[in-house]
Amino acid sequence: INEPPGDDLERIEGIGPRIGTALRGAGIHTYRQLADADASTLQTALEQAGLRFAPSLPTWSRQARFLADGDETGFQALAEQLTGGHNISGTK
């Protein structure tokens, strides 16, 4: 049974190929699923794949929510505030 490929989770700041694979392995294939997942679910997905905590993990659901809602402008604005996954808003 072929599953649909889902969304490009690697668009999210802080999610690379290894983390993307870990999330898909945990059943998270779309931006909406990522937006709805809580931090402990995401952390468990990483641990099961042998990955350590990702510093940007707390921002993933916010980023994914913009993409799930088709809000490319909001996503880009948030992505510009994130450097290495850390929210640096308020500093210009």
Side-chain angles (χ1 to χ4, degrees):
I1 300 172
N2 287 335
E3 292 187 36
D7 293 320
D8 180 9
L9 299 179
E10 284 83 2
R11 286 195 64 201
I12 305 290
E13 173 67 34
I15 297 181
R18 290 178 64 203
I19 292 176
T21 297
L23 294 174
R24 287 185 286 275
I28 298 171
H29 298 273
T30 67
Y31 298 135
R32 185 142 329 269
Q33 288 171 322
L34 181 58
D36 291 342
D38 60 29
S40 65
T41 298
L42 299 175
Q43 185 62 42
T44 299
L46 296 183
E47 289 169 1
Q48 288 176 338
L51 300 171
R52 291 198 197 98
F53 178 76
S56 61
L57 187 149
T59 71
W60 294 352
S61 64
R62 281 178 56 211
Q63 294 182 70
R65 179 71 58 208
F66 282 117
L67 292 171
D69 292 342
D71 185 351
E72 200 64 41
T73 303
F75 171 73
Q76 291 297 335
L78 176 59
E80 287 174 14
Q81 293 176 14
L82 301 173
T83 300
H86 300 285
N87 193 337
I88 58 164
S89 62
T91 58
K92 299 258 181 210

